[in-house]
Amino acid sequence: MQYDFRNIEKKWQKFWKESGIYNVSIDSSKKKFYVLDMFPYPSGAGLHVGHPLGYIASDIYSRYKRHKGFNVLHPQGYDSFGLPAEQYAIQTGQHPQKTTEENINRYREQLDRMGFSFDWSRELRTSEKNYYKWTQWMFTLLFDSWYDKKLKKARSIQDLKEGFLKKGSDYVIGYDREFANNEWVDFNDHEKEDILQEFRIAYISETDVNWCPKLGTVLANDEVIDGLSQRGGYEVVRKKMRQWSIRISEYSERLLSGLEIIDWPDPLKEIQRNWIGKSKGAMIKFSVENSEDSIEVFSTRPDTIFGATFITLAPEHDLVSKITTSNQENDVNNYIEISSKKSERDRISNVKTISGCFTGSYAIHPFTGNKMPIWISDYVIATYGTGAVMAVPCGDQRDFLFSKHFDLPIKNIFKDISIEDSAYESKENFLIDNSEFLNNLNFNEAFELSCEKLNEIASGNKTINFKLRDAVFSRQRFWGEPIPIYYVNDLPKAIEIESLPLELPYVKNYLPTENGDPPLGNADKWAWDVKNKKVVSNKLINNKTIFRLELNTMPGWAGSSWYFNRYMDPNNEESFASKESLEYWREVDIYLGGSEHATGHLLYSRFWQMFLFDLGLVPTEIYAKKLINQGMILGDSALVNRQIETGEYISAELTENHRVQKLNVDVSIVNSNNELNIDQFKSWQPEFKNAEFIMNKVFKVEREVQKMSKSKFNVVNPDDICDNYGADTLRLYEMFLGPIEQSKPWNTNGISGVYNFLNKVWRLFFNDNELVISESDPDKESLKALHGTIKKINEDIESFSFNTCVSALMILVNKLNEIKCHSRTVLEDLIVLLSPFAPHISEELWNVLGHDNSIADEEYPVHNPKYLIETEKKYPVSVNGKLKYQIVLPLGISQEKVENILKNDQSVIEIINDREIKKIIFVPNKIINIVC
RNA sequence: GCUCGGGUGGUGGAAUUGGUAGACACGUUGGACUUAAAAUCCAAUGAGCAGUAAUGUUCGUGCGGGUUCAAGUCCCGCCCCGAGUACCA
């Protein structure tokens, strides 16, 4: 008899739901363990087989940790604000709330079928007002805080105001404006706010942003890929806009050094390091001839300063208009206009073409006093460094090409190195020449000395520069958290906590308004009544108590930057989480998710936690100790070839000499031999109804691995697998597919293997319908097999190597079947071993053996080394062409035993390694090596 | 271009981190059960050579070198694939 997974799985899912056995609470008698999945965005397409990969892994780990006696927090929720729901709303007029809700229900249904042990009592949704109340509150904290460079932490803006009152601008370091304390007192509100805005962590400013006209909103740097929007792939252009930003750049150093102490995958850390982009160099000031102004440049090569022959500014640089001479004005304006029209994408694709324009002005070299022409060119990026570079053609290939192109002077400062054909960019193997006091120095010496000298003449200093930009925080969108700010005479004011949440208003439609305002501009009732602390009609706006509200909403990453803290205490009305719960659960122990969030969510959330930590609101600066990136499951797409001229469909092996176009077809109408079911194809979509085919016997399709997506018809729904094989099989199979971090195409070729395995497990307990369990003591052989497996599985689960766990279980079950072991003690341990992977069948069998499933988890079996000692194995080995033997002793052998062997064997010649002994290799009459 | 990963049977993938390469599974082939098929079970399965056979033997982890008694694993030089990033001064 086969095991009846349909009824078994339904039965236990119902039991888990009704008994709520996976709901946890604070229990100081137990050690806590927090396992978290990146919460999903509930899209309309539902889950496909790729989504659960990480959830299955985290579920296995959670169940395992529970067996180990930990109090495991394993929650799930939804990142439910976002663009797709809003796009759908624009098309259909339905409120995003409604579609989001529908999608969530569908997600929940699918998740429930897979037997996850989530604590659903802690479910959260970022779009719920009891959640976004706290997101908004945290925004007001960001607004009311500044970053103290001296203490290297965020502090209340109140402290800054008091500091200015006492010491003026001396209170802070690294600020380019100077004012005394009495001047501060005399500043008016606007002047004060202008200064404060340069310190607030959430601040408003006129910035260059990535504007996506198609989406009608700005995008953060990480949301733009290759000059196109991440969502939708639309063109992105640069535009100046008044925007909220988050001063994440202040945390660059901490975000970078924090990587050292977290156990995250190296590739992911590397991505974050590159994104933060720390570089050591110098700030160098060049005065401009016949002008008060000076140009500051950042250079990583101050050692090459004597090789600098001209200056290049970004076209957007502030000084350009000031220093351009009248006879160059036309050319310069022309150039600026052309380059501003270029989209990000054009700029990237035109990397190789050299363009630029002379401004007519000259800078003065700080040491030689030479005149250096000032040019503008769009190879200089306005947002990196100072938006200006000193061009050293002999040491930088771009400067070199630029000089050649515009016939600018090139000065070689490298001794005995030819720069005929290209610049010498290496920092090694050279001595400096033609550089006064830097002559005959190497890179390091020249670097230090040049910085010193620059400092002496007050023309520069050593600095560290970061690539990380402040994050744009405004979105011209409806379906996001409203920014809780109102404007009094254009001065932003935060809404205080008692009045939050600031709920999304009713709008007639979700598109921008006629005068280009964000969708919230469509709301009639969107003004803040300060006196009564509530939202009122726009018509009531006056300049005393009722003010206009911010129209932008927050980006998607706002809500996801702190949700892991909310799970600790999700229903708290008084605070985002109680002190007690924060102290108990502290941080995530294992975080599972994809590496595609490396420069988005995973960076922002680290920042956000650091900020909360600075304010003393959370107990740890690091919110996730260990992170595992699960790979993506890709779709194995099927494509039919259509002949372009005739429109006939050609079987894949016959396409030679035909001009064809490939069309994705539904993978469910293609069998595993790549043969298309023609009848199903014809009825699949109306356009194929009268399709003509060119083929021999069968019609073959082509296969291609693509990202799983609805539009490619390669989506496999986990429900189908659950229907046909059961959730346990799906869980085991997804784990069996390969290492968790690896991306792999989905195929069901091997699924019968794990399905058979579960049947074999079942048959260990049942002969037909009869339970066959022996109560007598187990034999040595089965104990040996069992304890070996226990050891392996414990180790492999800890290292997230679930595919080898499944193999180990298969080997064990094959073995037990072979030796016909029906011993209760062995089988009980087997059930517990199996239960994290296949919880349904395990619960059933546990119950079959007469246990009460409603009591706490059975402890995970502990291996007994006694059964692991294997007999010594003798292997032939060739040493210098002579046949000798090596004896390999098993793992865990005692020191005494080894010493005994050594004593009894006279022929030992050397022991190469004397660390913990695991294996010994013998050659006849001589031990030649001990391998550890 | 730069920075990370990675190349192992027909396929997905193991290999105790330097110690019998190919575990486990799929697939294939043969067999058992069956009137038959499905399902299930058993056996074989890296390639070559010799042998009726047990077995023996050679070659085998992208390519070429090296270290070592011993290399998929370590070192040097190439080739290919994937990911990230990109005019970053």
Side-chain angles (χ1 to χ4, degrees):
Chain A
M1 187 199 86
Q2 286 184 28
Y3 92 100
D4 176 9
F5 63 83
R6 287 191 184 85
N7 285 322
I8 290 172
E9 291 184 351
K10 217 178 277 166
K11 172 177 161 190
W12 293 107
Q13 280 165 11
K14 184 164 170 258
F15 171 75
W16 295 331
K17 199 168 189 171
E18 286 170 0
S19 62
I21 57 167
Y22 297 119
N23 296 358
V24 284
S25 52
I26 294 176
D27 176 355
S28 51
S29 70
K30 274 174 151 182
K31 270 202 202 152
K32 70 94 189 186
F33 203 88
Y34 187 175
V35 183
L36 182 66
D37 293 292
M38 285 184 191
F39 61 168
Y41 172 79
S43 83
L47 290 173
H48 60 65
V49 289
H51 291 109
L53 185 71
Y55 304 154
I56 294 169
S58 66
D59 194 62
I60 289 169
Y61 202 79
S62 305
R63 288 175 180 272
Y64 165 79
K65 277 287 173 185
R66 272 188 213 107
H67 283 311
K68 288 275 181 185
F70 287 89
N71 196 23
V72 177
L73 175 58
H74 184 40
Q76 186 59 289
Y78 305 95
D79 188 12
S80 46
F81 271 135
L83 274 180
E86 180 161 344
Q87 297 289 65
Y88 192 73
I90 290 168
Q91 285 159 23
T92 64
Q94 282 195 63
H95 197 287
Q97 176 88 49
K98 194 174 163 238
T99 47
T100 302
E101 180 110 22
E102 286 165 8
N103 292 345
I104 285 177
N105 290 340
R106 177 152 159 65
Y107 265 56
R108 177 63 192 276
E109 227 170 80
Q110 287 183 294
L111 289 170
D112 279 347
R113 288 200 65 184
M114 284 178 266
F116 293 131
S117 62
F118 292 124
D119 176 354
W120 282 110
S121 71
R122 290 171 185 266
E123 185 208 273
L124 61 80
R125 303 172 184 193
T126 54
S127 62
E128 288 287 315
K129 56 177 189 271
N130 61 6
Y131 181 87
Y132 72 70
K133 167 180 179 174
W134 301 107
T135 312
Q136 289 177 330
W137 173 66
M138 287 174 189
F139 175 83
T140 66
L141 294 178
L142 289 162
F143 177 72
D144 280 330
S145 301
W146 64 293
Y147 194 83
D148 187 337
K149 287 185 166 60
K150 257 187 270 180
L151 299 179
K152 295 188 170 139
K153 60 179 274 198
R155 297 172 61 189
S156 162
I157 202 87
Q158 203 53 40
D159 295 349
L160 183 66
K161 287 184 196 162
E162 283 165 21
F164 284 153
L165 208 55
K166 278 186 209 143
K167 297 186 178 171
S169 59
D170 285 348
Y171 185 68
V172 294
I173 53 172
Y175 187 43
D176 48 19
R177 264 187 79 173
E178 280 186 33
F179 52 86
N181 56 340
N182 50 351
E183 284 179 82
W184 171 256
V185 179
D186 293 339
F187 288 147
N188 66 30
D189 285 354
H190 276 93
E191 287 166 332
K192 279 183 181 156
E193 185 57 36
D194 281 349
I195 291 169
L196 292 178
Q197 280 293 334
E198 297 197 43
F199 289 89
R200 292 185 190 276
I201 293 179
Y203 65 98
I204 198 163
S205 69
E206 190 83 17
T207 40
D208 251 346
V209 294
N210 304 306
W211 172 254
C212 179
K214 265 275 165 55
L215 292 173
T217 189
V218 303
L219 298 168
N221 284 345
D222 68 277
E223 291 168 318
V224 182
I225 293 163
D226 291 338
L228 299 175
S229 67
Q230 188 186 27
R231 278 212 191 270
Y234 303 118
E235 201 168 49
V236 174
V237 295
R238 301 204 63 81
K239 191 175 171 183
K240 269 211 192 302
M241 284 179 82
R242 220 169 130 73
Q243 294 290 314
W244 284 96
S245 296
I246 301 289
R247 213 176 292 280
I248 188 174
S249 58
E250 292 286 10
Y251 282 80
S252 300
E253 189 65 62
R254 281 170 66 184
L255 287 168
L256 188 67
S257 59
L259 289 172
E260 304 300 323
I261 52 169
I262 48 179
D263 184 6
W264 287 19
D266 287 332
L268 190 129
K269 287 188 184 180
E270 198 57 34
I271 294 172
Q272 290 208 345
R273 265 186 217 114
N274 289 338
W275 191 260
I276 295 167
K278 179 177 178 171
S279 49
K280 246 169 68 179
M283 235 19 135
I284 304 170
K285 225 188 259 174
F286 291 85
S287 47
V288 179
E289 195 186 39
N290 304 327
S291 162
E292 298 279 282
D293 295 305
S294 62
I295 296 168
E296 245 193 324
V297 305
F298 172 76
S299 172
T300 54
R301 298 293 302 275
D303 58 309
T304 63
I305 183 150
F306 286 94
T309 51
F310 61 99
I311 299 281
T312 317
L313 305 180
E316 300 92 338
H317 197 282
D318 290 341
L319 280 178
V320 174
S321 55
K322 279 193 187 175
I323 61 169
T324 302
T325 55
S326 49
N327 51 345
Q328 289 294 324
E329 212 173 325
N330 273 343
D331 289 356
V332 167
N333 287 341
N334 228 344
Y335 185 77
I336 293 174
E337 202 180 324
I338 291 167
S339 67
S340 73
K341 271 190 193 148
K342 280 188 199 170
S343 69
E344 195 78 348
R345 193 144 195 247
D346 294 336
R347 263 172 104 150
I348 289 166
S349 59
N350 284 331
V351 166
K352 291 285 170 286
T353 54
I354 295 164
S355 69
C357 182
F358 181 44
T359 61
S361 286
Y362 292 87
I364 305 298
H365 193 285
F367 293 119
T368 64
N370 287 346
K371 277 169 70 170
M372 303 162 70
I374 302 170
W375 285 65
I376 58 170
S377 172
D378 61 8
Y379 82 80
V380 180
I381 308 167
T383 52
Y384 182 75
T386 59
V389 299
M390 66 173 200
V392 183
C394 65
D396 183 291
Q397 187 61 18
R398 285 171 329 226
D399 297 344
F400 182 84
L401 293 173
F402 198 83
S403 310
K404 290 266 176 197
H405 192 261
F406 290 109
D407 207 17
L408 290 159
I410 298 173
K411 179 181 172 192
N412 191 359
I413 55 152
F414 300 114
K415 206 169 213 165
D416 303 328
I417 287 169
S418 160
I419 51 154
E420 251 333 278
D421 305 322
S422 66
Y424 184 76
E425 293 191 302
S426 167
K427 290 180 184 177
E428 276 154 34
N429 304 320
F430 69 85
L431 292 176
I432 290 188
D433 202 9
N434 293 328
S435 299
E436 300 184 9
F437 51 87
L438 297 178
N439 282 346
N440 296 315
L441 299 181
N442 67 22
F443 170 73
N444 278 327
E445 295 159 348
F447 184 95
E448 295 301 327
L449 186 62
S450 59
C451 289
E452 259 172 56
K453 293 279 183 182
L454 282 166
N455 223 344
E456 275 172 30
I457 60 168
S459 283
N461 52 294
K462 209 153 105 180
T463 358
I464 284 169
N465 192 52
F466 291 95
K467 210 162 88 182
L468 184 65
R469 304 288 87 204
D470 284 348
V472 180
F473 200 74
S474 308
R475 294 291 181 277
Q476 292 68 43
R477 287 268 141 190
F478 172 76
W479 192 229
E481 302 88 345
I483 293 177
I485 291 287
Y486 59 95
Y487 293 89
V488 179
N489 300 324
D490 264 359
L491 293 177
K493 304 272 182 197
I495 293 176
E496 56 284 358
I497 181 170
E498 307 82 60
S499 311
L500 294 175
L502 176 64
E503 289 184 50
L504 275 168
Y506 169 78
V507 294
K508 287 177 290 278
N509 80 71
Y510 305 103
L511 288 166
T513 65
E514 274 170 20
N515 46 22
D517 280 337
L520 293 189
N522 290 321
D524 294 329
K525 201 179 158 192
W526 197 240
W528 187 246
D529 180 340
V530 175
K531 214 152 120 204
N532 299 309
K533 297 182 177 174
K534 62 175 193 184
V535 178
V536 296
S537 167
N538 298 356
K539 288 182 192 132
L540 300 173
I541 290 177
N542 59 43
N543 50 19
K544 284 192 187 132
T545 58
I546 296 173
F547 305 98
R548 68 186 175 88
L549 278 161
E550 170 68 49
L551 299 179
N552 285 300
T553 54
M554 299 190 200
W557 54 267
S560 60
S561 289
W562 68 278
Y563 74 111
F564 34 85
N565 288 316
R566 184 63 176 174
Y567 280 133
M568 298 176 188
D569 193 8
N571 301 314
N572 197 323
E573 303 264 325
E574 305 304 313
S575 68
F576 71 99
S578 70
K579 274 258 175 309
E580 188 200 8
S581 61
L582 285 162
E583 280 297 336
Y584 181 75
W585 298 110
R586 297 185 73 84
E587 76 280 87
V588 176
D589 292 281
I590 299 273
Y591 194 19
L592 257 115
S595 60
E596 67 271 21
H597 299 107
T599 54
H601 161 63
L602 289 173
L603 194 64
Y604 296 131
S605 51
R606 288 181 59 218
F607 151 76
W608 202 285
Q609 182 79 356
M610 284 176 178
F611 170 73
L612 294 179
F613 177 76
D614 285 352
L615 298 193
L617 295 167
V618 292
T620 64
E621 189 171 2
I622 286 157
Y623 76 91
K625 274 195 226 168
K626 185 177 169 77
L627 178 87
I628 307 269
N629 282 136
Q630 93 272 21
M632 216 188 315
I633 288 193
L634 304 163
D636 195 8
S637 305
L639 303 120
V640 294
N641 290 290
R642 181 166 65 187
Q643 194 172 348
I644 290 172
E645 286 85 5
T646 63
E648 291 165 314
Y649 296 86
I650 308 183
S651 186
E653 75 278 12
L654 305 171
T655 53
E656 227 178 305
N657 306 326
H658 291 281
R659 283 181 57 220
V660 292
Q661 148 189 47
K662 296 183 197 308
L663 301 174
N664 274 84
V665 293
D666 195 327
V667 288
S668 64
I669 59 172
V670 175
N671 71 12
S672 55
N673 292 328
N674 300 337
E675 291 159 8
L676 182 73
N677 183 319
I678 288 182
D679 295 333
Q680 284 179 17
F681 177 69
K682 283 182 174 172
S683 56
W684 176 47
Q685 282 183 2
E687 57 169 306
F688 302 127
K689 201 174 161 192
N690 301 314
E692 299 282 339
F693 300 90
I694 303 176
M695 59 193 231
N696 310 318
K697 280 190 192 148
V698 291
F699 189 90
K700 295 254 185 185
V701 297
E702 279 181 39
R703 289 283 186 170
E704 198 177 309
V705 174
Q706 295 172 322
K707 207 170 155 177
M708 215 175 254
S709 101
K710 220 177 173 179
S711 62
K712 301 223 162 73
F713 307 110
N714 60 2
V715 171
V716 182
N717 187 330
D719 293 347
D720 297 342
I721 309 292
C722 289
D723 287 340
N724 297 328
Y725 296 96
D728 283 342
T729 301
L730 174 71
R731 292 168 62 107
L732 281 165
Y733 185 58
E734 291 217 4
M735 290 303 103
F736 187 69
L737 226 41
I740 189 86
E741 329 68 57
Q742 211 168 82
S743 288
K744 53 231 150 192
W746 175 260
N747 69 69
T748 50
N749 290 347
I751 203 161
S752 62
V754 287
Y755 182 65
N756 286 344
F757 160 71
L758 289 177
N759 276 308
K760 283 183 200 166
V761 171
W762 189 257
R763 281 199 301 275
L764 276 175
F765 294 77
F766 290 98
N767 192 352
D768 286 324
N769 282 329
E770 202 181 326
L771 186 64
V772 275
I773 292 294
S774 135
E775 300 293 340
S776 56
D777 285 344
D779 60 299
K780 218 176 162 180
E781 205 181 349
S782 40
L783 282 177
K784 203 177 112 183
L786 174 69
H787 287 284
T789 310
I790 292 171
K791 184 170 163 32
K792 176 150 182 63
I793 290 198
N794 271 280
E795 287 165 2
D796 286 356
I797 290 185
E798 288 293 356
S799 58
F800 275 81
S801 176
F802 297 132
N803 53 331
T804 53
C805 286
V806 179
S807 294
L809 286 165
M810 287 178 175
I811 295 168
L812 176 64
V813 168
N814 283 346
K815 183 80 186 171
L816 295 180
N817 257 320
E818 188 190 309
I819 58 181
K820 300 200 164 42
C821 169
H822 298 288
S823 157
R824 171 182 283 271
T825 38
V826 173
L827 293 183
E828 280 186 351
D829 276 357
L830 170 68
I831 296 173
V832 183
L833 275 183
L834 179 66
S835 64
F837 300 90
H840 306 89
I841 192 174
S842 304
E843 285 277 19
E844 175 69 15
L845 291 171
W846 193 248
N847 192 236
V848 158
L849 291 185
H851 294 282
D852 179 359
N853 295 56
S854 60
I855 57 174
D857 276 305
E858 190 64 13
E859 237 172 63
Y860 217 57
V862 178
H863 82 270
N864 183 345
K866 189 170 101 189
Y867 297 109
L868 293 185
I869 303 288
E870 291 170 44
T871 48
E872 296 166 9
K873 283 186 194 162
K874 220 174 183 182
Y875 299 120
V877 61
S878 159
V879 178
N880 289 338
K882 288 174 197 163
L883 183 69
K884 300 181 176 184
Y885 291 92
Q886 63 181 38
I887 297 171
V888 177
L889 295 172
L891 295 164
I893 187 168
S894 70
Q895 185 84 26
E896 293 105 282
K897 193 166 178 192
V898 173
E899 276 163 13
N900 249 333
I901 293 167
L902 298 181
K903 215 184 287 170
N904 294 338
D905 195 318
Q906 305 293 323
S907 48
V908 177
I909 53 162
E910 58 173 338
I911 299 170
I912 291 169
N913 206 327
D914 60 358
R915 286 175 294 162
E916 189 198 353
I917 291 164
K918 287 177 182 169
K919 286 173 191 166
I920 301 178
I921 297 174
F922 287 55
V923 179
N925 310 320
K926 282 173 187 178
I927 293 179
I928 58 155
N929 200 354
I930 294 183
V931 179
C932 295

